[in-house]
Amino acid sequence: MYQLHFSPSSAAMAPHILLQELGVPFEKILVDTSTGAHRSEAYRKLNPNGLIPTLVDGDLVLYETAAICMHLCDRHPEAGLAPALGTAERAHFYKWLVWLTNTVQSTLIIYFYTDRWMDAGNSAGVAELKSHAEAKVGLMLDQLDAELARLEKTHAQPWLLGANYSAVDIYTLTLCRWTRNFASKPARDRAHLGAYLKRALARPAVIKAFEAEGLAQPWV
């Protein structure tokens, strides 16, 4: 049985939803960040970075959210949550997943933990960097919105890879949720992206994961 070390509303949400979509047995193990459990010696033996999530699959211990998602898709190809290997669709799957984790998520981390990038007491610098990070994420959300608009107009396709829902959509939902309290324009306020998020939120596996994590409405 898989073990997913998680905390609510963290990056662990992506593999959590993915596991619910797969319908396979798994155990959720709460890592209480409020008490510093992610920095404990026991947890760092699994994930030396002290970050969430970590997946245990038998003797395999895996961290980095995108890597976990790709591993689960490869372990369960019958679920169709990633395109077939060697196809152009699979290449786009890699492109979007890497872009989400390496570009969108990394900028969101700066937004949420701005003080880590500034000297202590530099409140003006913190505010300025946070504002710039939010603006940069806004441009990325615009890119997602434009891509969804293109797919809807040219192909009438509802998901980022086209007709088929995939782990890319799960990851996108997870990160878009993190923008829900933006001072400017959260993901849900964009026409095509907002409709896309509603489609994702209607999936039973998404509802099950959000409810299991005890998340209050609105979810995005």
Side-chain angles (χ1 to χ4, degrees):
M1 181 185 293
Y2 295 114
Q3 291 181 333
L4 178 66
H5 295 255
F6 85 109
S7 65
S9 198
S10 70
M13 180 180 289
H16 185 185
I17 295 171
L18 185 50
L19 286 163
Q20 296 287 5
E21 289 281 358
L22 293 171
V24 295
F26 70 98
E27 178 185 7
K28 300 196 311 297
I29 299 176
L30 176 65
V31 182
D32 190 349
T33 56
S34 68
T35 64
H38 56 305
R39 295 189 292 270
S40 68
E41 181 180 354
Y43 186 70
R44 284 186 180 272
K45 286 181 179 179
L46 295 174
N47 188 334
N49 301 303
L51 299 174
I52 296 166
T54 299
L55 182 79
V56 179
D57 177 9
D59 293 331
L60 173 67
V61 178
L62 193 62
Y63 49 85
E64 294 299 324
T65 308
I68 293 170
C69 289
M70 287 189 282
H71 172 67
L72 290 172
C73 288
D74 289 344
R75 288 271 278 137
H76 302 276
E78 71 285 351
L81 290 169
L85 286 168
T87 62
E89 291 78 11
R90 183 74 171 209
H92 286 298
F93 172 82
Y94 292 141
K95 174 195 72 179
W96 282 114
L97 201 58
V98 171
W99 181 77
L100 287 163
T101 187
N102 191 56
T103 304
V104 183
Q105 186 173 350
S106 62
T107 310
L108 281 164
I109 293 300
I110 295 172
Y111 170 83
F112 284 111
Y113 301 103
T114 314
D115 57 303
R116 297 177 182 176
W117 300 83
M118 290 288 161
D119 291 336
N122 186 0
S123 57
V126 167
E128 182 179 7
L129 181 56
K130 191 178 189 72
S131 176
H132 282 298
E134 182 174 339
K136 284 185 176 293
V137 173
L139 294 175
M140 298 167 198
L141 296 177
D142 289 341
Q143 182 177 340
L144 285 169
D145 193 66
E147 176 64 11
L148 289 165
R150 184 189 69 82
L151 289 168
E152 291 169 16
K153 182 178 180 180
T154 59
H155 305 293
Q157 292 178 333
W159 305 111
L160 267 177
L161 295 183
N164 297 321
Y165 180 80
S166 74
V168 164
D169 301 299
I170 293 171
Y171 215 120
T172 301
L173 171 64
T174 298
L175 298 184
C176 283
R177 170 180 158 77
W178 292 3
T179 74
R180 67 194 181 280
N181 293 322
F182 269 16
S184 54
K185 191 177 182 182
R188 65 177 180 272
D189 286 351
R190 288 164 173 80
H192 301 280
L193 190 51
Y196 164 87
L197 293 173
K198 287 181 181 178
R199 290 194 292 273
L201 288 170
R203 294 185 68 86
V206 172
I207 295 170
K208 191 172 183 179
F210 277 44
E211 289 180 343
E213 294 194 12
L215 305 180
Q217 296 274 12
W219 283 336
V220 297

